[in-house]
Amino acid sequence: MLWVDKYRPKTLDQVMVHQVIAQNLKKLVTEQDCPHLLFYGPPGSGKKTLIMALLRQMFGPGAEKVKVENKTWKVDAGSRTLDIELTTLSSTNHVELNPSDAGFQDRYIVQEIIKEIAKNRPIDTKGKKGFKVLVLNEVDKLSREAQHSLRRTMEKYSSYCRLILCCNSSSKVTEAIRSRCLNVQINAPTEEEIAKVLEFIGNKEGLQLPSGFAARIAEKSNRSLRRAILSFETCRVQQYPFTSKQVIPPMDWEEYVAEIASDIMKEQSPKRLFQVRGKLYELLVNCIPPEIILKRLLYELLKKLDVELKHEVCHWAAYYEHRMRLGQKAIFHIEAFVAKFMSIYKSFLVATFG
Amino acid sequence: MAPVLQSSQQWVEKYRPKQVKDVAHQEEVVRVLTNTLETSNCPHMLFYGPPGTGKTTTALAIAHQLFGPELYKSRVLELNASDDRGINVVRTKIKDFAAVAVGSGQRQGGYPCPPFKIIILDEADSMTEDAQNALRRTMETYSKVTRFFFICNYISRIIEPLASRCAKFRFKPLSEEIMSSRILHICKEERLNLDAEALSTLSSISQGDLRRAITYLQSAARLFGSSISSKDLISVSGVIPQEIVKAFLVTCKSGNFDVANKEVNDIIAEGYPVSQMLYQLLELVVEADDVSDEQKARICKKLAEADKCLVDGADEYLQLLDVASNTMRALCNMPQEFSYEC
Ligand SMILES: Nc1ncnc2c1ncn2[C@@H]1O[C@H](COP(=O)(O)OP(=O)(O)OP(=O)(O)O)[C@@H](O)[C@H]1O
Ligand SMILES: Nc1ncnc2c1ncn2[C@@H]1O[C@H](COP(=O)(O)OP(=O)(O)OP(=O)(O)O)[C@@H](O)[C@H]1O
Ligand SMILES: [Mg+2]
Ligand SMILES: [Mg+2]
């Protein structure tokens, strides 16, 4: 088992960060009438961990006995019948799913499947809770239509079905849904907190950590606890005993983006643009999300640019990322950004150095 | 004795008025519907207005009061955005229900039971135009035996031919006084202690949305016990602490791009919703004494653009960074145009 899973705290009392939130959640479920919850915060900050611990608090260890089901639902969409495939994780008392997996059909998931589960799934009568829980992941990726469809479901079946929604960016969740939930903001752990978790894991694994080693990993983790634990384990595999000079391996794709950044700062030409296209494709086929590529590229460029250009370049990054959302093929927009950058940078060079 | 099962109802549902007369702050519609209860007559209706102002509540209440529990199922069809309401459903399910004849209006079990059915189309603004168009005929053909209640947040998304067939009622955001009195009522029932400051905070952060106020109140009660302070309420509401918004503006004034970038990164890492940040920034900028009108205009224009981009699903970090950069350039009187763009 990977350390990220092995050392995921199981109960609300065991968490090593977000302790205050965990204690609050505990109070929340002592009463029967707990509201719907919306957990939001950056990737790897610990949302999932809290949600699982919360379910355990509600339903006892049974909540961990989940079964994975891959089911094809037949949905009647007026003139034709759609087959929608969906993976669900469920225990006796809860069901977890990722409705945005259905892409543009996500509305049907909400209209048919979620409503069905909310309405019909039998309540475990032996259980102490009068309701079941539906966990929906990545609600920020749901279409507007799907989000609208959720509103009344949240009210109508609320006396016996609680929703726990989870997402990264709460700005993308409509006001109507946010106002129906208790919003639980999960901040990314600080570097100190991350270092503490790493030291704890090191200790459990019986490892010797040179002083400042955990802190160095934490610093490079971009405040993502998951990432820190993963790279800690990679370090362990690459070289043990640890040395105080040991490099913390960066992610492959990040190095690749750094290369692209220096490529386009060295030469601004159609030929270079073409070369870079190959690299961008490479990243995309490896499933690095396009907005992550664009943000990383911006990060690399900002490190090297004159202050005057920083404003301009960050504007265009925001501009093209927005266009990318509205469009269909990400590559066009990333490439447009690269081209824009080249043109700006070139005229800057000409103006400055002649 | 069997243990008493604690109610697992959420407060928003528990305190949803069951009778039209208990709907607060929407006098006009209450008056018309009270009249309906006496005369057993009513037009098609269109309720519109912001979230949490009582639209669904009112529609459900009148339907229940007209027909009572016995007849409700056969006389009322409630469809909302969680139901498929595409053109096919309009042509089949809705039409079929609308077409059913009903007996003459006889009072039954103390309920008026007028001789028509009600079709409630909640969240109607999410219906496609095609589906709405398909409704026109049904409405006309069966208007003798069926009344339609449309409910929506945005009246502009209801096609004119439908809207013009209805009596329209705008549901106003609840005033702070009304809000306070409803909240106090709940506090009394639930035995909560809310000081004056907390009460006014709750009324103001809810911005006229009573559902929001009730959800915050319940959340705070569950988290912090029966004595609730203004701080507790802010912490469950997702409002960003004012110091953070102020610090952001100060950094923009300083003109240091890298510091601003760092701050944007921190705001994202803390998990603050950027749409909320934009809103609070707007309030702060508009009221600032040391910012010229021209600067304000430049800043606000960008805030509006960024908000729109967020609605389209754009990345929160990039949008906030763009806002920071633009605000900085405005406050430091750097030219609005970029120099190297061609
Ligand atoms: N409170 C905690 N105490 C100790 N370790 C934690 C805690 N929360 C999370 N972790 C560790 O961090 C890892 C990542 O956390 P988690 O999966 O909960 O993140 P997440 O917020 O759901 O991320 P994402 O948004 O990317 O899905 C976990 O596998 C666990 O090992
Ligand atoms: N005018 C009101 N009088 C009394 N209670 C209200 C009023 N408006 C809202 N509420 C309270 O808020 C809750 C939500 O109200 P309701 O469902 O009617 O909102 P809505 O206007 O339909 O909102 P949405 O547009 O989000 O569907 C109700 O359960 C009730 O507790
Ligand atoms: Mg997760
Ligand atoms: Mg409603």
Side-chain angles (χ1 to χ4, degrees):
Chain A
M1 209 193 320
L2 285 173
W3 290 354
V4 270
D5 296 318
K6 188 168 168 191
Y7 293 104
R8 189 197 285 277
K10 291 236 177 336
T11 65
L12 291 173
D13 289 321
Q14 286 167 359
V15 297
M16 300 188 61
V17 292
H18 305 309
Q19 275 121 336
V20 177
I21 299 176
Q23 289 312 309
N24 281 341
L25 289 172
K26 214 168 145 180
K27 282 187 234 156
L28 199 66
V29 298
T30 52
E31 303 277 343
Q32 282 282 335
D33 56 2
C34 115
H36 300 303
L37 301 170
L38 170 65
F39 285 80
Y40 61 95
S45 55
K47 299 177 293 297
K48 192 57 183 296
T49 305
L50 283 171
I51 292 175
M52 286 165 66
L54 177 67
L55 289 170
R56 195 188 146 114
Q57 180 76 34
M58 285 173 167
F59 303 117
E64 283 162 23
K65 291 202 198 81
V66 290
K67 81 177 179 280
V68 184
E69 272 175 302
N70 217 329
K71 215 168 132 182
T72 306
W73 300 71
K74 293 220 178 297
V75 175
D76 181 21
S79 48
R80 63 216 156 92
T81 310
L82 296 175
D83 284 333
I84 301 179
E85 212 180 296
L86 198 68
T87 312
T88 57
L89 267 175
S90 54
S91 74
T92 1
N93 298 294
H94 87 280
V95 181
E96 175 178 344
L97 47 115
N98 209 344
S100 66
D101 282 353
F104 65 96
Q105 294 173 327
D106 58 359
R107 175 168 66 97
Y108 296 109
I109 304 270
V110 176
Q111 288 182 342
E112 303 297 328
I113 303 174
I114 295 183
K115 212 167 69 178
E116 203 54 37
I117 297 174
K119 216 163 46 180
N120 291 339
R121 214 173 161 278
I123 301 165
D124 173 25
T125 42
K126 294 190 298 287
K128 27 186 195 322
K129 293 287 167 187
F131 56 83
K132 61 197 156 192
V133 172
L134 198 52
V135 180
L136 302 183
N137 289 319
E138 301 189 12
V139 282
D140 49 353
K141 300 219 175 96
L142 283 179
S143 65
R144 293 266 131 181
E145 266 186 318
Q147 295 195 28
H148 284 316
S149 304
L150 205 52
R151 290 188 297 191
R152 192 69 189 122
T153 303
M154 294 176 80
E155 292 176 352
K156 226 171 158 171
Y157 309 108
S158 71
S159 58
Y160 47 94
C161 178
R162 287 295 182 281
L163 260 56
I164 298 183
L165 311 176
C166 182
C167 70
N168 288 133
S169 142
S170 84
S171 290
K172 293 182 193 169
V173 178
T174 60
E175 186 57 49
I177 290 192
R178 277 187 279 157
S179 83
R180 283 167 167 81
C181 301
L182 165 56
N183 291 242
V184 187
Q185 178 178 338
I186 308 295
N187 63 317
T190 61
E191 288 175 12
E192 294 75 44
E193 287 170 325
I194 292 179
K196 248 179 53 200
V197 174
L198 297 180
E199 273 157 13
F200 169 82
I201 295 176
N203 199 359
K204 286 271 176 193
E205 290 285 320
L207 304 174
Q208 290 292 326
L209 270 66
S211 87
F213 190 67
R216 272 205 300 138
I217 296 180
E219 196 188 319
K220 287 216 170 5
S221 69
N222 199 14
R223 289 179 67 181
S224 160
L225 189 48
R226 170 172 323 102
R227 174 160 178 181
I229 299 174
L230 286 171
S231 68
F232 185 36
E233 194 170 1
T234 314
C235 287
R236 165 74 181 79
V237 174
Q238 285 185 342
Q239 181 184 343
Y240 188 79
F242 299 128
T243 63
S244 51
K245 295 216 180 56
Q246 183 169 350
V247 254
I248 313 299
M251 306 266 214
D252 294 345
W253 71 269
E254 287 179 357
E255 280 189 292
Y256 213 61
V257 175
E259 256 173 49
I260 296 177
S262 66
D263 286 349
I264 62 180
M265 288 197 66
K266 275 195 212 108
E267 185 185 321
Q268 299 80 37
S269 65
K271 186 166 147 253
R272 186 47 58 94
L273 189 60
F274 182 71
Q275 286 166 352
V276 164
R277 174 185 297 170
K279 294 191 176 180
L280 291 172
Y281 265 124
E282 181 80 23
L283 287 164
L284 289 169
V285 295
N286 278 297
C287 291
I288 311 292
E291 70 278 6
I292 303 279
I293 301 176
L294 196 65
K295 279 198 278 186
R296 189 71 193 184
L297 187 56
L298 177 66
Y299 167 84
E300 291 293 342
L301 294 173
L302 289 180
K303 281 205 292 205
K304 301 173 186 170
L305 290 176
D306 254 50
V307 65
E308 222 182 325
L309 283 177
K310 288 183 183 178
H311 290 284
E312 207 160 328
V313 172
C314 87
H315 167 73
W316 291 113
Y319 177 85
Y320 286 108
E321 195 273 340
H322 174 230
R323 303 256 296 209
M324 186 158 82
R325 291 287 162 180
L326 302 176
Q328 286 208 326
K329 280 246 182 292
I331 185 79
F332 294 159
H333 306 280
I334 305 182
E335 208 166 64
F337 171 69
V338 171
K340 189 79 186 178
F341 171 78
M342 284 183 169
S343 119
I344 291 170
Y345 194 59
K346 189 147 195 160
S347 46
F348 165 77
L349 291 177
V350 170
T352 319
F353 305 108
Chain B
M1 214 174 85
V4 182
L5 225 156
Q6 216 181 345
S7 159
S8 62
Q9 239 187 358
Q10 300 185 342
W11 293 1
V12 253
E13 293 306 324
K14 194 165 166 188
Y15 296 100
R16 190 192 281 282
K18 302 282 178 293
Q19 305 211 328
V20 172
K21 68 174 171 45
D22 296 329
V23 171
H25 199 56
Q26 317 295 359
E27 299 78 14
E28 206 190 338
V29 70
V30 170
R31 201 182 57 235
V32 169
L33 289 175
T34 311
N35 198 16
T36 293
L37 283 171
E38 281 156 20
T39 62
S40 291
N41 205 355
C42 85
H44 299 303
M45 301 264 197
L46 171 58
F47 297 167
Y48 65 101
T53 50
K55 301 180 298 297
T56 303
T57 305
T58 307
L60 293 178
I62 186 74
H64 277 110
Q65 283 180 272
L66 282 174
F67 299 109
E70 293 265 297
L71 277 181
Y72 187 85
K73 271 233 156 65
S74 61
R75 293 294 187 85
V76 182
L77 176 66
E78 188 206 342
L79 293 173
N80 53 66
S82 75
D83 304 294
D84 182 10
R85 293 179 303 189
I87 191 156
N88 278 299
V89 172
V90 172
R91 288 199 183 121
T92 54
K93 193 170 173 186
I94 296 183
K95 182 159 167 272
D96 293 349
F97 187 85
V100 175
V102 290
S104 61
Q106 294 275 318
R107 283 188 84 87
Q108 273 182 37
Y111 295 97
C113 302
F116 53 77
K117 288 156 294 158
I118 294 181
I119 297 183
I120 301 174
L121 290 166
D122 202 348
E123 295 151 1
D125 34 7
S126 66
M127 290 176 77
T128 63
E129 242 179 70
D130 283 349
Q132 293 188 37
N133 266 310
L135 264 180
R136 288 165 62 176
R137 281 292 303 279
T138 313
M139 260 176 99
E140 241 155 44
T141 318
Y142 304 107
S143 65
K144 269 220 156 72
V145 284
T146 304
R147 297 291 180 279
F148 280 85
F149 281 44
F150 295 95
I151 305 180
C152 64
N153 293 126
Y154 305 101
I155 192 174
S156 57
R157 304 229 179 104
I158 304 295
I159 60 168
E160 177 54 30
L162 287 191
S164 64
R165 286 176 169 79
C166 300
K168 297 186 237 350
F169 295 97
R170 177 167 174 274
F171 281 62
K172 300 165 283 182
L174 305 203
S175 68
E176 294 204 6
E177 296 79 60
I178 304 273
M179 198 81 122
S180 302
S181 80
R182 299 292 305 185
I183 294 167
L184 283 176
H185 167 72
I186 297 176
C187 287
K188 207 170 122 227
E189 295 286 314
E190 301 288 337
R191 300 202 192 86
L192 300 178
N193 252 323
L194 210 61
D195 60 42
E197 192 197 348
L199 184 63
S200 100
T201 303
L202 184 54
S203 310
S204 82
I205 56 180
S206 312
Q207 299 180 320
D209 177 344
L210 188 52
R211 177 193 296 113
R212 207 151 32 139
I214 299 177
T215 307
Y216 292 161
L217 187 67
Q218 188 186 3
S219 306
R222 288 298 165 253
L223 293 181
F224 307 106
S226 60
S227 270
I228 298 169
S229 72
S230 158
K231 215 176 100 249
D232 299 339
L233 289 163
I234 290 195
S235 84
V236 298
S237 69
V239 171
I240 301 173
Q242 202 62 6
E243 309 88 75
I244 294 193
V245 191
K246 283 191 182 139
F248 181 85
L249 212 55
V250 170
T251 308
C252 289
K253 257 181 218 152
S254 79
N256 187 326
F257 183 93
D258 293 335
V259 175
N261 188 8
K262 167 98 182 31
E263 212 155 299
V264 171
N265 268 305
D266 287 344
I267 288 170
I268 301 290
E270 287 305 315
Y272 294 119
V274 170
S275 52
Q276 178 68 28
M277 182 75 189
L278 298 184
Y279 177 74
Q280 289 182 241
L281 212 50
L282 177 76
E283 286 194 324
L284 207 59
V285 168
V286 169
E287 282 163 19
D289 297 327
D290 54 348
V291 178
S292 75
D293 285 354
E294 193 194 328
Q295 290 170 326
K296 285 183 185 178
R298 274 177 71 176
I299 296 169
C300 293
K301 180 163 176 280
K302 184 52 140 208
L303 287 173
E305 286 168 8
D307 187 62
K308 152 84 169 102
C309 291
L310 287 178
V311 170
D312 289 337
D315 184 79
E316 293 191 294
Y317 164 77
L318 291 173
Q319 290 303 323
L320 188 57
L321 185 61
D322 195 16
V323 164
S325 149
N326 176 72
T327 308
M328 184 177 286
R329 286 187 300 124
L331 292 176
C332 299
N333 297 314
M334 296 188 233
Q336 190 161 9
E337 307 302 324
F338 289 126
S339 359
Y340 301 108
E341 189 194 344
C342 38

